[in-house]
């Protein structure tokens, strides 16, 4: 496990890399962890989940605010600062009323993207009124059509899986939003993982036991562990939390067609 040494110089270099600066002599745990996000020049999808020791991301009532410790939250804000867009599902907006902004570190807030297939949001949610970064809402063409304050609404033709995550990414790519953080909840992350679109999965584990409630990632059931994902993983000490940085795809800097790895079929 690597201790994550972070200071203003390292963070400024990572922000410069995000803005297009070349990669110069960047070594150490912080660069290994954040360099691939900041340095990605094509499509790059990071999914991140903050969970308890027993694998929960919220209480059954949906309270998720203090699952992560300070180190885990700071890490999440760093990830937001290094991407162009952050994606959440409609349940997360309703349960958490999130700002999805960068507040705990220096950096720009990403464009906020909400997957609201059935147009469940009505515009009363705080993020439509907080004057923060732009908001894009993806809906099904079959949903009702009322506008949402200050948000761009994009209607997609639904497929068997609902809104196809690849269609969502294609729209974002057209807007030059290439680096994407899928922040939750579990069902939204699952769609992107099952579509094979996630380059890196960050699982931050906090020493809290919730006991019941939704789990971090819920994928389609498998019968045998030979079918489990076993991604190459590096582990980082965030202070309050432990982070598993899982490499879900081989080419994680630019090539969206990068070959999948880590889906075990290993005995
Ligand atoms: N600790 C953390 O890191 C963290 C982060 C974020 C959220 N949370 C917590 O997670 C909970 C919410 O998780 P969740 O999994 O219920 O909600 P979610 O992922 O925020 O939203 C799920 C809803 O969006 C729909 N959806 C997502 N992607 C879709 C797609 N591509 N096409 C069509 N529909 C799509 C789902 O449809 P289906 O029903 O058809 O799947 C479902 O109705 C909240 O309690 C929140 O506090 C925790």
């Amino acid at each position: 496990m690597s201790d994550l040494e972070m200071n203003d110089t390292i963070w400024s270099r990572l922000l410069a890399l995000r803005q297009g600066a070349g990669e110069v002599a960047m070594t150490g745990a912080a660069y290994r962890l954040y360099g691939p996000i900041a340095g990605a020049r094509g499509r790059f999808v990071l999914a991140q989940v903050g969970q308890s020791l027993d694998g929960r991301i919220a209480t059954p009532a949906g309270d998720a605010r203090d699952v992560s410790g300070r180190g885990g939250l700071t890490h999440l804000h760093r990830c937001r600062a290094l991407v162009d867009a952050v994606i959440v599902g409609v349940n997360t907006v309703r349960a958490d009323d999130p700002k999805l902004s960068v507040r705990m570190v220096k950096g720009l807030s990403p464009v906020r993207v909400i997957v609201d297939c059935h147009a469940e949001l009505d515009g009363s949610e705080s993020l439509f009124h907080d004057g923060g970064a732009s908001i894009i809402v993806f809906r099904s063409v079959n949903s009702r059509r009322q506008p949402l304050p200050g948000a761009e609404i994009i209607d997609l033709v639904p497929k068997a899986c609902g809104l196809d995550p690849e269609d969502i990414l294609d729209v974002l790519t057209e807007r030059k939003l290439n680096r994407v953080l899928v922040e939750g909840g579990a069902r939204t992350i699952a769609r992107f993982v099952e579509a094979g679109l996630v380059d890196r999965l960050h699982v931050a584990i906090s020493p809290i036991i919730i006991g019941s409630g939704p789990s971090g990632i819920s994928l389609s059931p498998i019968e045998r562990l030979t079918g489990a994902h076993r991604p190459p993983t590096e582990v980082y000490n965030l202070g309050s939390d432990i982070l598993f940085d899982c490499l879900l795809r081989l080419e994680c800097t630019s090539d969206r067609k990068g070959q999948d790895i880590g889906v075990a079929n290993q005995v």
Side-chain angles (χ1 to χ4, degrees):
M1 180 163 65
S2 309
D3 285 331
L4 195 70
E5 192 204 329
M6 180 59 79
N7 56 41
D8 288 348
T9 306
I10 296 173
W11 184 240
S12 298
R13 283 187 188 160
L14 285 164
L15 287 179
L17 182 61
R18 179 209 185 285
Q19 292 302 109
E23 230 165 306
V24 284
M26 295 187 185
T27 55
Y31 294 125
R32 282 204 309 282
L33 177 59
Y34 297 115
I37 311 169
R41 296 294 175 251
R43 181 178 290 177
F44 182 94
V45 180
L46 167 68
Q48 122 87 38
V49 59
Q51 67 177 46
S52 64
L53 287 176
D54 53 333
R56 317 285 179 177
I57 56 166
T59 67
D63 183 3
R65 281 208 186 271
D66 295 321
V67 172
S68 298
R70 189 169 179 80
L73 283 177
T74 304
H75 167 71
L76 174 61
H77 281 239
R78 285 185 196 126
C79 291
R80 286 180 184 168
L82 294 178
V83 297
D84 305 310
V86 56
I87 300 180
V88 290
V90 60
N91 287 357
T92 296
V93 174
R94 290 197 305 196
D96 297 354
D97 198 19
K99 292 187 176 61
L100 302 174
S101 59
V102 174
R103 301 184 299 280
M104 296 180 75
V105 298
K106 213 173 103 188
L108 296 176
S109 294
V111 170
R112 301 175 284 183
V113 177
I114 304 167
V115 183
D116 181 18
C117 187
H118 305 297
E120 294 170 60
L121 302 179
D122 62 10
S124 62
E125 297 78 10
S126 315
L127 81 176
F128 294 116
H129 305 279
D130 65 6
S134 317
I135 301 176
I136 300 175
V137 178
F138 284 95
R139 286 180 181 163
S140 157
V141 284
N142 305 320
S143 66
R144 60 197 170 118
R145 307 219 150 217
Q146 93 278 15
L148 292 167
E152 179 184 8
I153 295 174
I154 295 175
D155 293 322
L156 294 178
V157 177
K159 303 193 176 149
C161 63
L163 303 185
D164 187 337
E166 184 129 27
D167 292 345
I168 293 173
L169 293 182
D170 284 344
V171 171
L172 298 182
T173 301
E174 279 167 19
R175 286 159 173 69
K176 301 200 184 328
L177 303 172
N178 288 316
R179 285 167 295 209
V180 172
L181 168 63
V182 186
E183 196 175 304
R187 286 150 90 166
T188 299
I189 290 178
R191 308 268 181 146
F192 282 85
V193 171
E194 293 200 306
L197 295 170
V198 176
D199 296 290
R200 293 223 173 186
L201 172 66
H202 283 183
V203 181
I205 301 180
S206 171
I208 172 176
I209 299 171
I210 302 178
S212 56
S215 66
I217 303 160
S218 1
L219 303 177
S220 303
I222 54 168
E223 244 175 66
R224 301 189 62 80
L225 284 176
T226 48
H229 291 252
R230 293 178 196 271
T233 297
E234 284 208 44
V235 187
Y236 295 89
N237 180 3
L238 299 180
S240 63
D241 300 19
I242 302 295
L243 180 75
F244 288 75
D245 175 19
C246 310
L247 188 65
L248 292 194
R249 278 162 42 117
L250 190 58
E251 293 295 333
C252 62
T253 50
S254 61
D255 180 4
R256 63 178 291 195
K257 300 289 180 204
Q259 179 194 345
D260 283 352
I261 57 167
V263 181
N265 294 331
Q266 295 163 359
V267 188

